[in-house]
Amino acid sequence: MTTPNSEELPTTPATSRGTPERGTPRYRERVLVVEDSATQAAALAALLAENGLEPVVVHSGEEALMQVPGGAFDLVLTDIVMPGISGHDVCRAIKNMPGGADLPVVLLTGLSDPMDIVRGLECGADNYITKPYSDDHLLARVRQVLSTRELRRASRPGGAVDVTFLGERFTITAGKEQILDLLVSSYEELVRTNEQVRRAARRARFLAEAGAVASASLDMNVIMHDVAGMVVPALADLCIADIMSADGPPRRVAVAVENEALRPAAALIRKLPPAVQTGSIAEMALTERRLVTQRNPSEYGSGLLWNGVEQNEVLDSALASRGVLCVPLIAGDHVLGCLTLLSRAPARRWSADDLALCEDLARQTALAVDNARLYEEARLATRARDDVLAVVSHDLRNPVHAIAMAASFTLELLPNEPGDGKMARSQVETIQRAATRATTLIRDLLDLTRIESGRLTVDPVATEPAGLVADALEEVRPLARRKNVQLLVEVESGLPTVMLDRSRIGQVFSNVLGNAVKFSPEGSEVRVRASREGSEVQFTVADSGPGISQDHLPFVFNRYWQAPETQSLGTGLGLFIAKGIVEAHKGRMWVESEPGAGAEFGWSIPVSAEVPGDE
């Protein structure tokens, strides 16, 4: 009996259980598949049909109960969780039908509830299969249930048994063969789950170790060499690591091998150019941008792996009847290289877990190689910048200094009188100021490079803090007078002598104190203070300017950074350089500010600091 909603694959008619017509496949057993998911039901039916069984598909428990009477089924395969009647209810109803006790019922379950096994016993189920399942596992369980039908029929139960499990009472009507099958199946599932957990743990451990190896260096060659060494023998007997070049052919980086029989081939492979010619395994992997699996080089010849190599006895002997994986290393839009894995065992086939592990390893390695590539590009860019700055310091600073000296000498010769002499003097002073600004900019650029590369050196000498503050005030006093800004000084008495580079700390004062006067309104005050705080001597400069917003405070010491309202007043290097100089003295620098209330910059120098000089 077939309902309009049932889905039956083209098979031998149920009423004709004898020899099928010529050209019709012969099915041995008829299986009713009860699955509400159309996709899973179709896949399950196709699997059963491909393996000599006759599937009939329905999508609900109600349809299943209409199909069973007169359906001549040999097995019912039902999902547990379905709309309407559950798989447990379907099983219970089938077992209560006339003759239904002898019809095996297998439950499909995700085992999300530990009660599923006991409920299966209660409803009379003969076995169960855990989702997700492999095709081989499902077929083996189905064949096992079909093969033991007669044993279960002979051990039909004589009565019900009441049991309590996790505080819930169940009445078990299943026979001893059914109970034994379910318990054995439960143990098998436990063993299978434990093995999956162990495999997952081994995989996670391998990837963690590979990640540590790949991240231990910023050299692409070292990364590829070390990863290839991990692949052998965990995943293959020989591993070849190749790196793609930006503007040329790939480079062979490493060939890892452990087995003595493969060492002659490995030695030859190291000398061969990587194969990326059309049709090669490497070319297919890199073009398709995915893992190329289960290739047998004996089917294609060694030319698939070795570019421009004729028939070679050593290679052919090493590769005969062996599998090959070529794993491309892809990061974003870049193909960075590939790992080629060869197995030694003639019958070896990489499992699905092996392939997934290779893909994860490839992603992890590609990320490390890409980081190394970017680091190398940054290093080369930094070197190019340093080369340019070296030219600036040598070839530009000298002529700028000559211009400044010439301007100073010319000013001494020009009369300071009204008329043409006054105008000429004004122009020369402009040249002198421009030369001074250029000299300062050159110095700042050189200091920036030294700070970023960690090569800023200082020459510390014993210095009195009071004298240092006096020198700084004397330098900025002309600018303060022009703006009518009053300089207030507070130097704590008895300050200890500190070891510092007087010129460099003077540069810090110049940058900070100069900014304070520049940003303070006319007629305001700038306060300079020096005091001892524990094991440090602290210097602070507080202005009466507009202050710094809280959003901008984290960025004030960044290189080239300037607040939007002051972008035209400098290069944005002064505070970055000042902080670098202070830190070279093992000190620290900070800023405190509120919008509209001015800003206070402070820095400290350790009293007992031992500052390194030039190395």
Side-chain angles (χ1 to χ4, degrees):
M1 174 172 131
T2 304
T3 66
N5 291 328
S6 66
E7 178 185 340
E8 186 169 352
L9 301 181
T11 60
T12 304
T15 55
S16 176
R17 303 292 286 170
T19 303
E21 298 178 2
R22 182 179 298 275
T24 303
R26 178 182 177 84
Y27 295 102
R28 292 178 303 179
E29 285 93 3
R30 201 161 190 251
V31 179
L32 178 63
V33 177
V34 189
E35 172 62 73
D36 60 315
S37 168
T39 302
Q40 294 184 34
L44 185 53
L47 175 65
L48 296 174
E50 289 170 2
N51 288 273
L53 300 171
E54 180 182 342
V56 176
V57 176
V58 295
H59 298 296
S60 69
E62 292 83 356
E63 293 180 65
L65 296 180
M66 296 174 64
Q67 287 282 340
V68 170
F73 294 107
D74 298 288
L75 177 71
V76 176
L77 198 58
T78 178
D79 190 14
I80 289 182
V81 180
M82 296 183 294
I85 299 178
S86 71
H88 290 131
D89 295 332
V90 169
C91 179
R92 189 177 293 106
I94 290 174
K95 294 299 183 179
N96 289 328
M97 290 180 180
D102 296 330
L103 177 59
V105 178
V106 177
L107 303 174
L108 296 174
T109 174
L111 279 183
S112 58
D113 187 343
M115 292 284 192
D116 280 349
I117 297 175
V118 180
R119 291 194 181 102
L121 286 170
E122 181 189 39
C123 69
D126 296 84
N127 216 307
Y128 74 94
I129 297 170
T130 305
K131 293 182 178 180
Y133 48 77
S134 67
D135 293 350
D136 291 342
H137 177 64
L138 182 138
L139 290 170
R141 188 62 56 83
V142 166
R143 287 175 180 136
Q144 172 193 341
V145 173
L146 289 172
S147 66
T148 57
R149 278 179 298 177
E150 295 302 321
L151 289 175
R152 283 192 300 275
R153 190 175 290 121
S155 62
R156 188 174 301 163
V161 177
D162 291 336
V163 298
T164 301
F165 180 70
L166 296 180
E168 189 172 340
R169 194 171 184 80
F170 298 91
T171 299
I172 306 300
T173 59
K176 63 180 182 180
E177 290 295 336
Q178 288 174 276
I179 294 174
L180 183 61
D181 272 356
L182 273 172
L183 293 179
V184 170
S185 297
S186 300
Y187 181 72
E188 287 179 352
E189 291 294 339
L190 180 61
V191 170
R192 190 166 68 97
T193 301
N194 286 342
E195 179 58 30
Q196 289 174 344
V197 171
R198 283 194 294 269
R199 285 200 302 268
R202 287 195 297 268
R203 174 177 171 178
R205 191 161 51 247
F206 178 83
L207 288 175
E209 292 173 358
V213 166
S215 61
S217 174
L218 285 172
D219 186 314
M220 289 186 288
N221 295 338
V222 173
I223 292 170
M224 294 290 278
H225 181 276
D226 291 347
V227 170
M230 285 201 66
V231 169
V232 175
L235 292 171
D237 299 293
L238 187 147
C239 180
I240 306 160
D242 298 328
I243 287 182
M244 302 298 291
S245 299
D247 53 357
R251 292 186 293 107
R252 177 132 302 148
V253 178
V255 178
V257 64
E258 188 173 81
N259 189 281
E260 289 294 331
L262 289 176
R263 291 193 182 280
L268 181 56
I269 291 168
R270 287 188 182 95
K271 302 175 183 178
L272 296 176
V276 290
Q277 74 274 23
T278 303
S280 72
I281 292 177
E283 190 271 340
M284 285 185 282
L286 296 176
T287 301
E288 297 174 13
R289 301 171 70 82
R290 63 180 176 82
L291 190 68
V292 175
T293 66
Q294 310 300 343
R295 302 283 182 172
N296 189 334
S298 63
E299 299 173 11
Y300 303 96
S302 59
L304 274 171
L305 291 170
W306 330 118
N307 192 12
V309 175
E310 303 270 336
Q311 198 75 10
N312 184 285
E313 183 177 347
V314 174
L315 289 178
D316 290 344
S317 173
L319 300 176
S321 302
R322 288 169 174 82
V324 179
L325 290 180
C326 190
V327 188
L329 306 180
I330 302 170
D333 294 331
H334 300 283
V335 179
L336 305 175
C338 59
L339 296 172
T340 303
L341 283 61
L342 280 78
S343 68
R344 174 169 171 74
R348 174 164 184 172
R349 303 285 290 179
W350 279 279
S351 67
D353 283 345
D354 290 335
L355 301 182
L357 181 58
C358 286
E359 290 179 328
D360 288 342
L361 176 64
R363 281 190 288 269
Q364 198 164 261
T365 305
L367 180 61
V369 171
D370 196 38
N371 287 339
R373 178 182 65 85
L374 294 173
Y375 171 78
E376 180 64 15
E377 290 178 357
R379 190 181 66 82
L380 293 175
T382 300
R383 178 183 295 177
R385 183 201 62 186
D386 290 347
D387 291 343
V388 170
L389 289 175
V391 172
V392 169
S393 66
H394 183 271
D395 294 346
L396 185 59
R397 184 165 51 180
N398 289 340
V400 169
H401 181 66
I403 292 171
M405 291 294 294
S408 179
F409 180 71
T410 303
L411 283 175
E412 292 179 2
L413 298 178
L414 288 174
N416 190 11
E417 299 174 359
D420 293 341
K422 185 76 169 179
M423 182 177 299
R425 188 178 184 86
S426 174
Q427 294 300 317
V428 174
E429 288 174 346
T430 300
I431 294 173
Q432 188 180 46
R433 287 193 298 271
T436 301
R437 285 197 299 271
T439 301
T440 301
L441 179 58
I442 292 170
R443 183 198 64 187
D444 287 349
L445 289 173
L446 292 174
D447 285 345
L448 168 67
T449 302
R450 296 186 185 110
I451 291 171
E452 288 187 332
S453 62
R455 293 185 289 107
L456 179 69
T457 57
V458 293
D459 185 16
V461 295
T463 304
E464 294 290 339
L468 188 66
V469 172
D471 290 346
L473 290 171
E474 191 62 30
E475 181 182 342
V476 79
R477 208 176 296 280
L479 176 61
R481 276 198 296 265
R482 285 198 298 271
K483 290 197 66 175
N484 192 27
V485 172
Q486 186 176 4
L487 300 176
L488 304 180
V489 185
E490 181 183 345
V491 177
E492 189 177 287
S493 62
L495 288 179
T497 299
V498 290
M499 296 295 295
L500 52 80
D501 188 321
R502 194 180 186 101
S503 174
R504 285 295 189 181
I505 296 299
Q507 193 176 341
V508 175
F509 265 109
S510 178
N511 286 338
V512 177
L513 196 51
N515 282 346
V517 174
K518 181 166 53 177
F519 294 124
S520 292
E522 290 191 12
S524 61
E525 298 175 347
V526 169
R527 296 172 299 281
V528 181
R529 187 172 187 270
S531 61
R532 178 163 184 169
E533 301 292 338
S535 61
E536 299 176 330
V537 172
Q538 292 187 358
F539 303 93
T540 60
V541 175
D543 62 49
S544 304
I548 305 169
S549 73
Q550 296 300 309
D551 292 339
H552 292 163
L553 277 178
F555 309 107
V556 294
F557 293 112
N558 290 1
R559 61 176 184 171
Y560 301 121
W561 186 88
Q562 291 178 289
E565 59 272 16
T566 63
Q567 285 184 349
S568 61
L569 300 179
T571 61
L573 291 176
L575 292 176
F576 174 83
I577 293 170
K579 186 171 184 287
I581 292 172
V582 170
E583 290 176 347
H585 286 80
K586 299 182 180 179
R588 56 194 180 89
M589 192 169 188
W590 64 91
V591 60
E592 298 175 359
S593 180
E594 291 289 341
E600 180 177 278
F601 286 84
W603 65 96
S604 64
I605 304 295
V607 171
S608 58
E610 296 180 4
V611 185
D614 292 347
E615 297 180 358

